[in-house]
């Protein structure tokens, strides 16, 4: 039976990581500010939250992350210079990021991975369900995954995670879900979760990707969760407890995503994401695709 649950209005974006896989570029520049074509990766994520109706955004930051705040703030000097030049197009692009959402920031003192970062959001979120968006996964706006997850959470309550089928040899790179089918073809009931299992130990090939809609009772679980893999507080471990016992904080469901996802989590996938997005741009795509075909033909 369909139930009524509180409407979600808040999004949490963990952004305190050190970005070591992108050194030396991230020595002084947050990895979230690395450009994907002509926008920093973090802006795509905030835009996704806003398009799903979440315009109250908390970013969990750390040391050397001040450029994130500056990017979503006004830059009056730059805006004035562009206005004097009559460059309305670039002025609109500069102002776009500062007008996207109501932005809030909290510092994670130590980069203690995702579970602890989510826990840092507790004072801001309070007792409301909320969304968590990871900056490594960019979801194409033509595939409204987060909106679908919010709808599922409103229907079933509890928490909802995004899942994607991956090749068995890749499952060790992800959290992995044990699932049961439901009446909805794209929704499964999550009965268990394992963080980065070996292929032989994986309960399925459903990988957890970087979108979550969480019941606020996750905070109580995280406060009591012992460090797990790599001696870190894992969000997967807390969700496992919710999946095991519905009375703790409601059921856990998964939305199986089959749309367009751009993985910027490592250097190779980051470059592929840039190429794919550039190819699809109306202003850049035609010329870029022509050059790319020529380049590939010459190299082959």
């Amino acid at each position: 039976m369909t139930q009524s649950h509180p409407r979600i209005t808040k999004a949490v974006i963990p952004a305190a990581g050190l970005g070591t896989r992108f050194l030396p570029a991230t020595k002084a520049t947050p990895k979230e500010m690395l450009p994907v074509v002509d926008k920093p990766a973090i802006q795509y994520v905030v835009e996704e939250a806003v398009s799903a109706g979440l315009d109250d955004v908390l970013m969990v930051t750390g040391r050397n992350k001040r450029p994130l705040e500056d990017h979503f703030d006004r830059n009056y000097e730059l805006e004035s210079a562009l206005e004097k030049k009559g460059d309305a197009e670039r002025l609109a692009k500069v102002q776009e990021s500062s007008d996207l959402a109501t932005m809030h920031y909290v510092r994670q003192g130590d980069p203690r991975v995702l579970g602890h970062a989510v826990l840092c959001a507790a004072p801001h979120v309070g007792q409301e369900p909320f969304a968590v968006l990871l900056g490594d996964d960019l979801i194409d706006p033509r595939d409204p995954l987060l909106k679908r997850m919010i709808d599922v959470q409103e229907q079933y309550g509890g928490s909802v995670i995004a899942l994607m089928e991956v090749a068995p040899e890749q499952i060790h790179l992800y959290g992995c879900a044990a699932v049961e089918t439901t009446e909805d073809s794209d929704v499964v009931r999550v009965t268990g979760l394992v963080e980065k299992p070996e292929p032989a130990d994986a309960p399925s090939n459903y990988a957890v990707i970087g979108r979550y809609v969480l019941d606020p009772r996750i905070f109580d679980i995280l406060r009591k969760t012992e460090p797990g893999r790599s001696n870190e507080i894992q969000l997967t471990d807390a969700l496992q407890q919710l999946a095991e016992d519905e009375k703790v904080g409601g059921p856990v469901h998964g939305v199986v995503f089959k749309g367009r996802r751009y993985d910027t989590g490592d250097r190779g996938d980051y470059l592929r994401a840039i190429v794919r997005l550039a190819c699809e741009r109306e202003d850049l795509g035609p010329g870029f695709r022509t050059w790319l075909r020529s380049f590939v033909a010459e190299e082959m």
Side-chain angles (χ1 to χ4, degrees):
M1 179 181 296
T2 300
Q3 303 178 44
S4 177
H5 299 280
R7 181 68 185 173
I8 297 169
T9 62
K10 295 178 180 178
V12 175
I13 302 177
L18 299 175
T20 53
R21 286 181 289 182
F22 283 85
L23 288 170
T26 50
K27 179 181 178 181
T29 301
K31 70 171 183 177
E32 297 84 4
M33 289 300 297
L34 295 179
V36 180
V37 189
D38 55 1
K39 287 191 298 190
I42 194 68
Q43 184 170 332
Y44 289 89
V45 180
V46 174
E47 288 173 351
E48 180 187 350
V50 172
S51 69
L54 313 181
D55 57 3
D56 183 324
V57 178
L58 175 70
M59 202 167 291
V60 183
T61 67
R63 298 182 184 88
N64 301 322
K65 298 286 184 165
R66 182 60 185 269
L68 293 170
E69 298 185 34
D70 291 341
H71 179 71
F72 292 101
D73 199 357
R74 298 293 299 272
N75 187 327
Y76 293 102
E77 294 82 0
L78 178 57
E79 291 178 25
S80 177
L82 292 171
E83 191 170 8
K84 288 178 181 177
K85 291 172 61 177
D87 195 339
E89 181 180 356
R90 287 188 173 86
L91 176 61
K93 289 182 178 180
V94 168
Q95 292 176 332
E96 181 182 12
S97 60
S98 56
D99 295 335
L100 269 176
T102 302
M103 301 295 298
H104 308 271
Y105 303 91
V106 63
R107 277 254 174 125
Q108 183 184 19
D110 296 310
R112 294 166 60 190
V113 303
L114 184 56
H116 184 263
V118 170
L119 187 55
C120 290
H124 181 78
V125 169
Q127 296 303 309
E128 304 174 31
F130 63 104
V132 175
L133 299 87
L134 305 190
D136 288 347
D137 286 330
L138 305 186
I139 304 297
D140 194 294
R142 294 168 292 183
D143 300 311
L145 169 62
L146 186 58
K147 176 64 169 61
R148 175 60 175 151
M149 294 175 67
I150 291 171
D151 291 343
V152 171
Q153 197 279 338
E154 290 179 345
Q155 179 180 356
Y156 292 104
S159 298
V160 181
I161 62 178
L163 300 173
M164 186 177 69
E165 290 189 78
V166 301
E169 60 269 19
Q170 292 182 317
I171 197 65
H172 72 282
L173 301 172
Y174 299 88
C176 177
V179 303
E180 297 175 348
T181 59
T182 71
E183 295 179 354
D184 297 305
S185 60
D186 65 332
V187 178
V188 294
R189 174 72 178 267
V190 177
T191 59
L193 289 157
V194 183
E195 180 67 19
K196 297 181 179 179
E198 292 302 319
D201 300 324
S204 73
N205 65 334
Y206 284 110
V208 182
I209 59 175
R211 297 294 180 270
Y212 307 81
V213 177
L214 301 176
D215 185 281
R217 285 172 288 184
I218 193 75
F219 295 129
D220 292 332
I221 303 297
L222 286 169
R223 292 185 184 101
K224 301 172 185 177
T225 299
E226 295 294 328
R229 188 182 179 95
S230 303
N231 198 35
E232 297 168 332
I233 299 174
Q234 301 287 349
L235 180 60
T236 304
D237 293 339
L239 286 167
Q240 163 67 14
Q241 293 188 46
L242 296 182
E244 283 181 339
D245 186 356
E246 183 176 330
K247 296 178 182 179
V248 174
V252 179
H253 285 86
V255 171
V256 180
F257 182 63
K258 297 182 179 180
R260 287 155 286 205
R261 167 180 174 255
Y262 309 108
D263 186 355
T264 61
D266 63 45
R267 291 168 296 178
D269 286 332
Y270 170 75
L271 293 173
R272 284 185 281 273
I274 293 174
V275 171
R276 289 175 64 185
L277 286 168
C279 284
E280 295 182 359
R281 286 269 294 261
E282 291 183 3
D283 56 340
L284 297 172
F288 185 67
R289 288 194 298 269
T290 298
W291 173 85
L292 191 59
R293 291 189 192 101
S294 174
F295 174 77
V296 171
E298 291 174 1
E299 290 298 306
M300 294 299 289

